[in-house]
Amino acid sequence: MAQREETVPVEPVGGARAWIVWGVAVGGYFLAMLHRNGLGVAALEAQERFDVGPALLSVLPMLQLLVYVLLQVPSGLLADRLGPRHTLVIGMGAMSVGACLFALAPGVEAAVGGRFLIGLGDALVFLNVIRLAALWFPRSRYALVSGLTGVVGGAGQVASAAPLAWALEGVGWVPAFLATAGLTALMASLVLVIVRDRPAGAAGRATVAAPIPVWEALREALRARGPRIGMVHHAAVMAPFTMMMVLWGYPFLVGGLGLAEGTAALTLTALAAGALWTAPFAGAVIGRRPGARVWLGLTLATSASTGLVLLVAWPGGAPTPVGVAVLAVLALGQTLAPTISFDFARDGVPASRTGVASGLVNMAGFSTTVLCTVLAGSVLQVLPEAPTSFQWAFAPICATTLAATVALWAMVLRGTRRA
C-alpha cells in the first residue's frame, strides 16, 4: 500500500537560505538557456564545419526543441519521484556531456547526438527550479520568484548571442563549447553541495511525491482548473515570440519589414532584453493581489491575438513601425508568461507533485512553438519571394493564439460564473 503524503499547514518562510538555494539552481537555468539558443550564432560555422546545407542544419535546433517538448511530462514525473536536487544534477550532467560531444563532434551525426543530450538535460532544469521555488518560498512569493527565474533565463538567452559569438571568434569552436560544458559541470557540483530539496526542520512537508501511476498523476493535474488555465495561457502568450527568437524573427525583420541586418539583430535583442524588468514587478503584484493574474493574463493573450491578426491581415503587409510594435507586445507576453502560467499551475495540486502540472504547462507552450515554427518554414518554402509570404507564414501561429485566447476567456468566465 502506498504511503499517504503528509503535509503541514505551515508554509515555508523563505529567507536568505531560500534565496541561496534558488540562486544556485537558477544558475543552471541560465546555462540551459545559453545551451538552448547557442546554436543560433554558430549556425554559419556549424554549416561549414559539418559540411551540411541549411535544411539539414535546421534539424539540430528543432530536434533539441522537440526532445525538450516530448520529455516535459516524463521530466515532471521524474522530478516528483526524485526531488529537485538530484534531478537538476542529472539534467546538468546531460547538458555538460552533450556540449562536450557537440564541441568535439567529427560529423553531423555526433553533433545530433550532442544536441539530443542538451535537449534532454534542458528538459529537466526549469521544472526543478520552479519546484524549488514552491518548496522553499511561501505561496505569496511564488509568482515573484517565477518572474525572477524568467529574468535569469532571458539573460541566458541574451548571453547566447553576442558573448558566445565573441568566444567563437576569439578562441574557436572547440574551446568555446568545451567552456560551456565545464561551466555546466561546475554548476552541477554546486547544486549537489548547496541545494537541498526542502528547508531544514520541514520534515513533515513532503518534497518527493508518493509513487502513483503515470495516468493517475496526469489525471490529477488535468482535473485541477489551475493547470488547465496555465496550459492555455502558455500556448497563447509564450509561443509567438519564442517562435520569433528560435528562428523566424530575424528573417521577418529583414525580409518582411526591410530592416538592415545589423538593425534587425539589435532590434530583436533589444525587444527580448527590454521586457525582462517587467517579470519581477508583475510577480510582486500577483503575490500581493492574486486576482490580478487573471486580468493580466487575459490582457496579454488578447493583445497577442490582436497583434498577430494585424500582421497577418494588414493589406500588403504591416508597415515597419506596426510590425516592430507587435513584436514588442509579443516579447512582453513571453517575458510574463512563466510568471502567470506557472502560478496557475500550482492551483489545486500538492506542492510535491507540481512537476507534472508544470510539465504540462511547458509542453503546451513549446508544442505550439514547434508546430508553428515548422508550418511557417513550410509556407516560406512554397512562397519564398511573395510579398505576403510572412503574412501567410504567420497564419498558423495567429490561429493557435486566437484559439487559445478564446479558450482562456471561456475558462475564466465559466469559473467566474461558478464562483
Side-chain angles (χ1 to χ4, degrees), residues 205-291:
R205 185 181 300 112
T207 60
V208 177
I212 60 175
V214 174
W215 292 113
E216 185 177 338
L218 289 171
R219 281 197 300 270
E220 178 186 56
L222 291 172
R223 253 196 321 262
R225 180 169 171 266
R228 295 200 305 270
I229 292 179
M231 290 172 67
V232 172
H233 182 266
H234 217 50
V237 176
M238 188 280 293
F241 194 72
T242 303
M243 185 189 82
M244 300 293 181
M245 287 298 293
V246 167
L247 201 56
W248 297 121
Y250 180 81
F252 169 64
L253 289 170
V254 174
L257 298 183
L259 297 183
E261 292 184 358
T263 304
L266 182 61
T267 299
L268 204 59
T269 302
L271 291 176
L276 291 179
W277 67 272
T278 60
F281 175 76
V285 171
I286 291 171
R288 291 176 178 271
R289 300 179 179 273

Side-chain angles (χ1 to χ4, degrees), residues 14-32:
R17 173 64 175 159
W19 286 110
I20 292 171
V21 167
W22 173 82
V24 173
V26 85
Y29 181 49
F30 174 92
L31 292 173

Side-chain angles (χ1 to χ4, degrees), residues 25-26 46 54 79 118 120 136-137 143 165 212 270 272 283 285 291 303 305 327 348 357 366 370:
V26 85
I118 290 173
L120 186 153
W136 278 84
F137 291 91
I212 60 175
V285 171
S303 300
S305 296
L327 290 185
F366 278 98
V370 171

Side-chain angles (χ1 to χ4, degrees), residues 3 38 66 72 85 88 174 286 293 320 358 375 414:
Q3 287 187 327
L66 185 61
Q72 283 305 294
R85 179 180 175 228
L88 278 170
V174 173
I286 291 171
R293 67 181 180 173
T320 299
S358 298
L375 290 176
R414 185 165 62 246

Side-chain angles (χ1 to χ4, degrees), residues 73 103 106 151 172 178 196 209 245 249 297 311 394:
V73 171
V151 170
L178 284 181
R196 293 296 179 267
M245 287 298 293
L311 287 187
F394 292 161

Side-chain angles (χ1 to χ4, degrees), residues 91-105:
M92 292 182 199
M95 286 193 297
S96 181
V97 173
C100 283
L101 183 57
F102 188 68
L104 302 173

